Amino acid sequence: MLEKKMDEIDIDEVIEDFEEMTKNTKRVQKETLLKILQENGSAEYLLNQGLDGRTDPESFRACVPLVTHKDLEPYIQRIADGDSSPVLTGKPITNISVSSGTTEGKPKRVPFTDELTDNTLQIHRTSFAFRNREYPLGNGKALQFIFSSKQTKTRGGLFCGTATTNLFRNPHYKSAMEAMQFKCCSPNEVIFGPDFHQSLYCHLLCGLIFREEIQFVYSTFAHSIVLAFRTFEQVWEELCNDIRDGELSSRVTAPSIRAAMSKVLKPNAELADSIRSICSGLSNWYRLIPELFPNAKYLYGIMTGPMEPYLKKLRHYAGELPLLSADYGASEGWIGANVNPKLPPEQATYAVLPNIGYFEFIPLNGTADNTYEVPKTVGLTEVEIGEEYEIVLTNFAGLYRYRLGDVVKVMGFHNSTPELRFICRRSLKLCINIDKNTEKDLQLAVEEAVKELAEEKLELVDFSSLADRSSEPGHYVIFWEISGDATEKVLRECCNCLDKSFLDAGYVTSRKVNSIGPLELRVVHKGTFQKILEHFLGLGTAVSQFKTPRCIGPTNDVVLQILNNNVAKSFLSTAF
């Protein structure tokens, strides 16, 4: 699969293969599990489970326990330390992926294999085929805000980096992506630059230089696109000067980037004047993207879950350009492809590819978590429309019955494979008493309260939250960064609105009897969430994988410290 050339990709063939596979989901799932267990049957982990060579789903579920990352950490540590025996997989592991760490405050390490690269390309090809059928692209370039983090080596000599870094450094991956019109307008040296800020500046500069050729704008997450154009608002005049003079700004100091950009940047006064005229004529940067890139067809990236709060700003920049939500996966592996690209991001669903892993689902049925019982799972074809589940993943890279921690809702079926909507991370909850408010509940409450800012023509830059149990009774704390100075009257109204907008029955009841205290709104100084980003970049996270921590847990103490050290104003709700 990795060796396919550009002219070998046949969109109709990709769609036909997908349709055929998803008509036989149950059979394909059995075959996929068989293949995983045959390839990895010699692994110590599986030998210890007592499968005795059996590969059927029933025996697999009966013998192999459900696990979390914590259960597998000792095995992954041995691999990282240089144990070359078959620990989790039949073939040796050569790379380790690290998650962003933004959810739990600590990055997770998981095995990365060539099979995961194959899975990635299959997911991308599938969604590209459906996307290109609706929004066909011509020959051109993509403005991609992609950034490779540093690759380190483990004690045992394995390469260790983010999943995207492992992919970007694979030459087959790059050629395969170019076959899907993912031809980045920036040189490789910009993508692999040592400093995120310098790389971002040069991505913007390359986009302007090739503005007529840009077919679409992309980043892994919507946050990175918003961050890029917020940065553009600050540096556009400097970019124009670079184009006019053909000289790269002194802010870019990395020799590798400067050398690469010298081949791209030439004096062009006409282009500089055109961009200056466009920017000067915009009203509050509305429609910035289509004005700068007149031939762009859409914006593309993951826009669901924790990325939804950025959609309003993204639509402001995009104007009438469609926002297309990219595929659904995690550092541990891929789940599904967006085969309905015309749906707005808020309604995006992901069709599970039944041959990239073996999938199980823990029914939630609106019940509370019970840590004393082993959850029962259902198979990929046994889920029911309208129900919510936690995903359990078995893949080719050594994860067996792995609880991903994601909550999804089944919205329908594409042939016989389910179409999922991401709801939230199961571990990310605001909870003090009998209340349970998810990341989605938080987002809805924030969206309601932000309406109070509209009168003062202010916008919310970013937000986070905390279930504060340091005093009795415990209470919710919401952190806001705002684009300007709001009056105390408006902020008090926002605070009350936040408190009233959490509709969970346990929360409302607890607030009325004061077993949960008044909600607190803490407004932080400008640039606070940028400091959080910088913190994670310092840990080795790639900015294109960054997700703002929405519900701060006990292990994310550094993020909480950054927020608390930058509080400008604080308000307590009087809503109850």
Side-chain angles (χ1 to χ4, degrees):
M1 185 183 293
L2 291 177
E3 299 295 337
K4 280 196 173 184
K5 302 298 182 184
M6 186 166 183
D7 56 1
E8 292 179 312
I9 292 183
D10 184 323
I11 287 173
D12 293 331
E13 182 183 335
V14 172
I15 292 176
E16 187 179 327
D17 289 347
F18 175 78
E19 296 291 349
E20 182 64 27
M21 178 174 59
T22 55
K23 287 174 183 174
N24 300 283
T25 299
K26 190 169 185 178
R27 173 177 60 78
V28 174
Q29 276 282 274
K30 283 186 178 180
E31 292 171 352
T32 302
L33 180 61
L34 170 66
K35 188 177 179 184
I36 290 171
L37 295 180
Q38 284 180 338
E39 286 187 9
N40 300 303
S42 62
E44 174 191 325
Y45 181 84
L46 286 177
L47 288 173
N48 290 341
Q49 306 305 330
L51 275 168
D52 295 326
R54 289 172 291 174
T55 59
D56 61 285
E58 294 74 23
S59 299
F60 178 67
R61 293 192 204 181
C63 295
V64 179
L66 292 168
V67 296
T68 63
H69 187 268
K70 187 176 180 180
D71 299 310
L72 297 182
E73 276 181 343
Y75 299 93
I76 296 171
Q77 186 65 52
R78 283 172 53 193
I79 295 168
D81 287 345
D83 189 336
S84 58
S85 67
V87 178
L88 287 172
T89 57
K91 292 187 291 186
I93 299 291
T94 56
N95 286 65
I96 296 288
S97 283
V98 289
S99 69
S100 64
T102 52
T103 299
E104 307 292 345
K106 176 185 175 184
K108 292 183 294 188
R109 297 192 295 181
V110 292
F112 187 89
T113 64
D114 286 342
E115 285 87 352
L116 290 187
T117 303
D118 280 341
N119 291 165
T120 302
L121 291 176
Q122 186 187 353
I123 286 273
H124 288 342
R125 283 195 181 100
T126 301
S127 61
F128 169 73
F130 283 92
R131 188 169 71 251
N132 214 52
R133 190 168 66 176
E134 302 292 347
Y135 303 97
L137 299 176
N139 290 322
K141 300 180 187 294
L143 173 52
Q144 299 185 55
F145 296 107
I146 54 177
F147 309 88
S148 174
S149 65
K150 293 176 183 176
Q151 261 191 334
T152 59
K153 279 197 172 183
T154 67
R155 187 186 302 172
L158 275 64
F159 283 109
C160 185
T162 62
T164 50
T165 297
N166 288 330
L167 289 169
F168 294 158
R169 291 189 178 276
N170 185 319
H172 299 305
Y173 175 80
K174 182 183 178 184
S175 62
M177 291 302 287
E178 286 185 358
M180 291 173 262
Q181 269 89 21
F182 269 80
K183 188 173 183 180
C184 186
C185 65
S186 304
N188 275 348
E189 290 82 356
V190 172
I191 299 169
F192 294 98
D195 179 79
F196 152 70
H197 299 286
Q198 295 179 43
S199 291
L200 174 55
Y201 184 87
C202 290
H203 275 315
L204 290 167
L205 185 56
C206 289
L208 296 177
I209 292 168
F210 297 106
R211 63 182 292 259
E212 298 285 346
E213 298 177 56
I214 299 301
Q215 295 272 292
F216 63 95
V217 177
Y218 167 80
S219 190
T220 308
F221 290 126
H223 168 267
S224 298
I225 304 178
V226 170
L227 176 63
F229 286 102
R230 279 191 168 133
T231 302
F232 180 87
E233 291 183 31
Q234 307 302 317
V235 302
W236 70 274
E237 290 181 293
E238 194 173 343
L239 290 164
C240 285
N241 291 338
D242 289 2
I243 293 170
R244 173 178 293 281
D245 301 334
E247 293 282 341
L248 186 59
S249 166
S250 58
R251 72 166 64 225
V252 181
T253 57
S256 60
I257 299 181
R258 291 196 70 87
M261 289 301 296
S262 68
K263 300 172 185 175
V264 176
L265 180 61
K266 307 298 177 188
N268 191 334
E270 184 181 352
L271 176 59
D273 289 343
S274 177
I275 294 166
R276 189 175 296 277
S277 176
I278 288 168
C279 294
S280 300
L282 291 174
S283 174
N284 194 28
W285 303 102
Y286 177 65
R287 294 190 76 255
L288 171 62
I289 294 173
E291 290 293 337
L292 288 179
F293 313 108
N295 296 309
K297 303 286 177 59
Y298 51 77
L299 277 67
Y300 186 58
I302 294 171
M303 300 181 184
T304 51
M307 294 299 118
E308 279 192 36
Y310 304 109
L311 292 178
K312 183 178 179 182
K313 188 65 173 178
L314 210 51
R315 288 193 170 106
H316 181 81
Y317 286 135
E320 71 284 354
L321 283 180
L323 306 184
L324 277 57
S325 193
D327 309 306
Y328 173 32
S331 297
E332 293 88 345
W334 286 99
I335 311 297
N338 182 355
V339 299
N340 300 300
K342 284 202 165 184
L343 287 176
E346 294 90 342
Q347 298 173 26
T349 59
Y350 305 96
V352 181
L353 272 66
N355 70 334
I356 62 173
Y358 181 72
F359 298 97
E360 300 170 67
F361 296 83
I362 299 172
L364 299 182
N365 301 320
T367 57
D369 294 335
N370 189 337
T371 56
Y372 300 103
E373 293 180 8
V374 177
K376 293 180 180 177
T377 64
V378 297
L380 185 58
T381 58
E382 298 166 336
V383 295
E384 297 180 8
I385 294 174
E387 295 298 322
E388 293 187 0
Y389 301 87
E390 180 187 346
I391 297 179
V392 176
L393 169 68
T394 296
N395 68 10
F396 289 90
L399 302 184
Y400 308 102
R401 306 200 78 204
Y402 180 93
R403 295 182 66 166
L404 200 58
D406 285 2
V407 176
V408 295
K409 186 173 184 177
V410 179
M411 305 307 295
F413 283 84
H414 187 103
N415 296 321
S416 60
T417 197
E419 292 189 330
L420 309 176
R421 178 173 296 164
F422 178 86
I423 300 299
C424 63
R425 292 282 296 168
R426 196 170 186 183
S427 61
L428 293 183
K429 283 193 178 79
L430 287 170
C431 180
I432 297 287
N433 188 14
I434 59 171
D435 53 309
K436 275 188 171 59
N437 280 297
T438 67
E439 189 178 2
K440 183 67 175 177
D441 296 322
L442 169 65
Q443 180 191 321
L444 292 172
V446 168
E447 285 177 359
E448 191 61 34
V450 161
K451 295 174 183 176
E452 305 287 341
L453 293 175
E455 291 179 18
E456 301 198 355
K457 296 183 178 178
L458 297 172
E459 63 181 37
L460 186 66
V461 174
D462 222 327
F463 66 94
S464 191
S465 68
L466 167 72
D468 188 346
R469 300 181 185 85
S470 62
S471 58
E472 287 290 336
H475 68 293
Y476 289 5
V477 177
I478 312 297
F479 297 92
W480 275 13
E481 182 178 329
I482 304 172
S483 61
D485 295 323
T487 64
E488 291 209 359
K489 177 176 179 293
V490 165
L491 291 174
R492 291 187 189 283
E493 289 170 356
C494 289
C495 183
N496 288 343
C497 186
L498 279 167
D499 207 359
K500 290 185 292 185
S501 295
F502 285 103
L503 303 179
D504 171 68
Y507 181 77
V508 175
T509 301
S510 298
R511 281 289 288 116
K512 287 180 177 177
V513 299
N514 202 37
S515 57
I516 294 179
L519 179 143
E520 183 179 1
L521 173 62
R522 296 179 187 170
V523 180
V524 297
H525 293 293
K526 285 184 185 179
T528 297
F529 281 86
Q530 180 70 25
K531 291 179 181 177
I532 294 173
L533 169 61
E534 299 286 354
H535 161 67
F536 283 105
L537 292 181
L539 295 177
T541 298
V543 71
S544 49
Q545 280 196 275
F546 175 77
K547 300 184 288 289
T548 298
R550 295 289 179 218
C551 303
I552 301 169
T555 57
N556 237 339
D557 53 339
V558 175
V559 171
L560 182 58
Q561 186 178 356
I562 292 170
L563 288 167
N564 282 333
N565 287 348
N566 287 276
V567 173
K569 297 177 182 177
S570 180
F571 303 90
L572 285 174
S573 166
T574 55
F576 288 86

